[in-house]
Amino acid sequence: MARLSIEHLRKTYGDLTVVDDVTIDIADGEFLVLLGPSGCGKTTTLRMVAGFIAPSAGTIAIGERSVTTLPPWKRNCGLVFQSYALFPHMTVAENVAFGLEMRKISPADRAPRVAEALRLVQLTGFDERYPRQLSGGQQQRVALARALAMEPDVLLLDEPLSNLDAKLRQEVRVEIRDLQRKLGLTTIMVTHDQEEALTMADRLVVMEKGKVRQIGTQRELYEKPADRFVAGFIGRSAFLDGEITAPGRFRTKGGVEIGCAAAIGTGAATLALRPERIAVAGEAQGLHNHFQARVEHASYLGAILDIDVSLSGSDRMLLQIPNKAGIAEPKPGETITIGWAEDAGLVYPREA
Amino acid sequence: MSASSRLSLGRLALNGAAGLALLYILLPLVFVTWLAFFRQEIPSFPPEGYSVKWFTAAANNQPFINGFLLSLQVGVAATLLGLLVGVPASLALVRHRIVLGPLFNTLLLLPLVMPGIVLGTAIYVFQIETEIATGLPVMGSQGGLIGAHTLVVIPWVVRLVTASLVGFDRTIEEAAQNLGAGPFTTFRRVTLPSIRPGIVAAGLFGFVTSFGNLEMSLFLVGPGRTTLPIAILQYLEWKIDPTVAAASLIQIVLIAVAMIVTDRYVKLSRVV
């Protein structure tokens, strides 16, 4: 195991920049998730680490070893493919032993390591099966066992759960995470599934359009999103467009004056609020920012109520209230009082 | 009329048509087989009796034996050469964006659609010119024959191997490389086993094509060096006794056995 450093990594195809100046440091034993919408460059980054794509610029180092120019077969990165990519003409045991065989380990020494890898993924006794005789979940485990058996310096997971059904995905998520912790594997996982990313990662990297938008823990990303994109991508946010008129003063398009703890200067801006930080009725009264809002739409979602309100003709926002006993579901057209603390609103310069 | 009876009527028509086509294909084979066992020398119906003497005659006919051996040698050599050229060519055509790739693909498939007479004439002229220019004894040589047969094997190899490469999932090659296999090991351990059915089928069909080739070979064989089809043709010029039918039947059985045996290891029906 080792730490992994990616520095100023860039990939361009002609005029198109797919990965733009990505720098990430992954600690020994850390589980890092690259998260972003499709086409954000996360898979390209992973494939550059594995050696299948040559970077246009930048360096990749595993431990003290620079691997930037090494071919894939000399990198010792265990990659679990989205499609599993098992060898169809080899048995489960042969698949798992392949990496060991390539390292010139004798058949006698291979056997116990194959058995151990299969035990780790709970597939003991499946040695002689062929991939086509296994379910999707089992194939996924074989792919994982095959990557683990060669004792990689870094484990790479490319959307490993996307081909599993929802229930199985939940289980495998926990299993992979436990295994990764137990073995102390430095791991990078690529996913577009936010929930998967949040439940598995030690730290997350949010990417968009080839750039790293923010690196941080779940709490950091949720509570202190670096920009409007992250605020909208991680969890839900209510956005109000407007401008900063003076330090700590935000005026919406519809002319509503809001107090905020803005870290930016005057000019066009967007105010982001987490829906659950907005208080309603009595709880809203004592807060600095409180307004009369008209209910536009209310959705009953079981544990919470989603309420769409308008502050003015052109300012709509979403808020969520917990479904407590005896709470009345607001009706469209009603007027309710809503409010939030000044520091609940995060202000970002308006993006062009 | 109910939907189900209409369906079964359609099915009946389909099965009938398929049966008719099958009969059309098999009928000559049935007659050749039948004829091979006739007792009389001049084939006429109904047969005067049955005998296996023509099989003995065919097996003891020296031109047939020599022809068979030459056809076998030429067929095997041409098949191996065809694979040696065709497999890398297919890999290059499918895997890499080659300038004028489609043109090369068409060129490689061309011998399949070219009439054998035309191909034979062209190669004949080419061989004469080569001999005149270089002084090498190309004309009528076994090497010249093998070269020409390689040409008719290549289209089969390119067609079948290309087809199996197109459906091949390249991520398993990446998986092999990720596990530490270099390009050559990856090809040998992962790519080759996956396209093996295509290669085996290509070899088999290439061999059969070469073995049965008559028109092109007619131009290229040297004196006293004839392939089996030519030996059979020459025999037919003088006699029409069932020896020819017996020889053909032996040939049909050999090829059928080769196909059945191959199919046990590689499912030909999947590639062809």
Side-chain angles (χ1 to χ4, degrees):
Chain A
M1 286 308 114
R3 63 189 279 267
L4 178 74
S5 3
I6 298 170
E7 275 175 29
H8 305 295
L9 200 63
R10 181 188 297 276
K11 182 67 197 177
T12 53
Y13 294 102
D15 289 339
L16 187 70
T17 303
V18 189
V19 171
D20 193 358
D21 198 24
V22 166
T23 297
I24 309 169
D25 245 311
I26 302 143
D28 191 359
E30 186 177 26
F31 196 118
L32 188 97
V33 173
L34 298 184
L35 178 67
S38 58
C40 72
K42 57 191 192 298
T43 299
T44 307
T45 303
L46 190 83
R47 289 175 62 79
M48 283 196 276
V49 173
F52 294 123
I53 298 177
S56 306
T59 59
I60 302 163
I62 298 172
E64 298 306 309
R65 190 166 64 104
S66 170
V67 299
T68 317
T69 55
L70 284 184
W73 53 92
K74 290 184 179 160
R75 293 208 179 187
N76 204 30
C77 296
L79 175 54
V80 177
F81 290 81
Q82 186 173 8
S83 61
Y84 316 141
L86 299 178
F87 306 128
H89 57 288
M90 294 185 200
T91 62
V92 167
E94 285 167 347
N95 264 283
V96 176
F98 192 85
L100 302 172
E101 197 187 328
M102 291 304 120
R103 280 161 186 72
K104 310 262 185 292
I105 291 163
S106 74
D109 294 337
R110 268 180 240 158
R113 289 174 67 175
V114 170
E116 171 62 12
L118 287 176
R119 190 189 63 78
L120 283 174
V121 299
Q122 299 163 40
L123 278 180
T124 303
F126 285 73
D127 308 51
E128 296 311 313
R129 302 266 191 105
Y130 281 91
R132 62 174 176 276
Q133 298 169 313
L134 303 176
S135 70
Q138 289 167 336
Q139 290 184 20
Q140 206 269 349
R141 287 156 196 256
V142 176
L144 188 61
R146 185 174 68 175
L148 294 177
M150 68 179 211
E151 292 175 3
D153 292 327
V154 179
L155 181 67
L156 306 174
L157 307 169
D158 185 9
E159 306 243 3
L161 308 177
S162 60
N163 289 329
L164 303 177
D165 62 53
K167 188 174 169 294
L168 200 57
R169 204 177 300 167
Q170 302 263 355
E171 290 173 24
V172 177
R173 216 187 257 171
V174 177
E175 281 173 19
I176 290 181
R177 189 64 174 110
D178 286 350
L179 211 55
Q180 183 270 340
R181 272 213 191 98
K182 193 161 71 183
L183 301 174
L185 287 162
T186 308
T187 304
I188 304 182
M189 181 172 88
V190 158
T191 185
H192 64 271
D193 184 321
Q194 195 192 122
E195 193 188 325
E196 193 172 294
L198 293 173
T199 50
M200 293 177 80
D202 286 324
R203 271 196 311 158
L204 303 101
V205 178
V206 180
M207 290 183 71
E208 197 230 4
K209 291 179 185 153
K211 286 195 168 71
V212 171
R213 289 304 195 109
Q214 190 171 3
I215 304 180
T217 61
Q218 287 82 338
R219 183 178 289 272
E220 284 163 359
L221 294 184
Y222 191 81
E223 294 183 6
K224 296 189 181 65
D227 56 30
R228 191 191 186 285
F229 174 80
V230 179
F233 191 72
I234 304 289
R236 297 167 77 183
S237 287
F239 293 108
L240 290 170
D241 284 337
E243 58 180 322
I244 294 286
T245 49
R249 301 302 307 167
F250 180 85
R251 186 197 294 140
T252 68
K253 273 187 306 187
V256 181
E257 295 282 346
I258 298 169
C260 63
I264 60 165
T266 55
T270 299
L271 181 80
L273 284 160
R274 291 300 184 187
E276 75 281 359
R277 297 287 298 271
I278 302 167
V280 183
E283 290 170 35
Q285 294 295 349
L287 294 165
H288 186 273
N289 292 310
H290 61 95
F291 310 96
Q292 294 301 108
R294 194 182 119 92
V295 175
E296 298 291 343
H297 187 79
S299 311
Y300 179 87
L301 298 175
I304 53 165
L305 301 173
D306 260 18
I307 303 162
D308 196 15
V309 299
S310 54
L311 287 182
S312 73
S314 52
D315 299 308
R316 280 177 75 138
M317 59 191 290
L318 174 80
L319 56 101
Q320 289 177 332
I321 52 175
N323 186 9
K324 289 179 193 139
I327 196 165
E329 196 176 323
K331 301 273 178 299
E334 274 180 20
T335 300
I336 56 171
T337 308
I338 63 168
W340 60 85
E342 278 192 343
D343 62 358
L346 298 163
V347 185
Y348 303 105
R350 187 96 59 82
E351 282 167 27
Chain B
M1 194 184 281
S2 75
S4 70
S5 71
R6 223 180 10 245
L7 198 74
S8 65
L9 210 70
R11 183 159 290 269
L12 208 70
L14 182 68
N15 287 348
L20 223 61
L22 199 65
L23 198 72
Y24 182 71
I25 294 168
L26 288 179
L27 214 57
L29 289 179
V30 171
F31 273 100
V32 167
T33 310
W34 193 18
L35 197 67
F37 293 97
F38 280 20
R39 197 172 61 203
Q40 76 271 36
E41 200 170 328
I42 309 293
S44 65
F45 293 93
E48 291 164 10
Y50 293 99
S51 160
V52 290
K53 63 180 173 186
W54 305 115
F55 288 93
T56 329
N60 289 320
N61 184 314
Q62 201 53 47
F64 283 6
I65 295 169
N66 292 344
F68 176 79
L69 291 176
L70 181 65
S71 285
L72 194 68
Q73 285 170 24
V74 170
V76 169
T79 303
L80 292 178
L81 282 174
L83 288 172
L84 215 61
V85 176
V87 174
S90 309
L91 277 167
L93 284 171
V94 175
R95 295 280 168 93
H96 302 282
R97 199 171 297 170
I98 293 174
V99 186
L100 301 178
L103 181 72
F104 283 117
N105 196 22
T106 311
L107 277 175
L108 288 167
L109 296 178
L110 209 54
L112 204 63
V113 292
M114 186 91 83
I117 301 279
V118 176
L119 209 54
T121 317
I123 296 171
Y124 177 66
V125 173
F126 174 72
Q127 290 190 348
I128 291 175
E129 292 296 332
T130 310
E131 193 157 334
I132 292 169
T134 62
L136 295 168
V138 189
M139 222 10 260
S141 69
Q142 191 158 334
L145 193 60
I146 289 170
H149 277 231
T150 304
L151 212 56
V152 294
V153 171
I154 288 174
W156 283 102
V157 179
V158 171
R159 256 180 65 176
L160 292 169
V161 176
T162 304
S164 48
L165 278 171
V166 166
F168 176 72
D169 174 17
R170 292 202 72 182
T171 54
I172 70 168
E173 288 181 342
E174 288 186 346
Q177 298 194 344
N178 178 255
L179 292 163
F184 182 71
T185 312
T186 300
F187 181 74
R188 192 173 55 82
R189 294 291 309 276
V190 174
T191 316
L192 206 53
S194 300
I195 60 170
R196 188 170 289 147
I199 291 177
V200 170
L204 193 68
F205 283 86
F207 177 78
V208 171
T209 308
S210 159
F211 196 83
N213 183 282
L214 173 69
E215 313 95 288
M216 184 185 75
S217 306
L218 272 175
F219 291 84
L220 306 173
V221 290
R225 231 200 304 251
T226 52
T227 60
L228 184 59
I230 295 175
I232 290 174
L233 185 72
Q234 284 174 347
Y235 187 87
L236 272 176
E237 285 172 13
W238 305 103
K239 285 178 171 172
I240 52 162
D241 67 43
T243 309
V244 169
S248 305
L249 190 59
I250 294 171
Q251 196 180 326
I252 291 166
V253 168
L254 284 178
I255 289 170
V257 167
M259 280 195 156
I260 291 165
V261 170
T262 311
D263 197 61
R264 284 191 64 91
Y265 297 99
V266 181
K267 283 275 160 255
L268 292 178
S269 48
R270 274 202 209 143
V271 265
V272 188

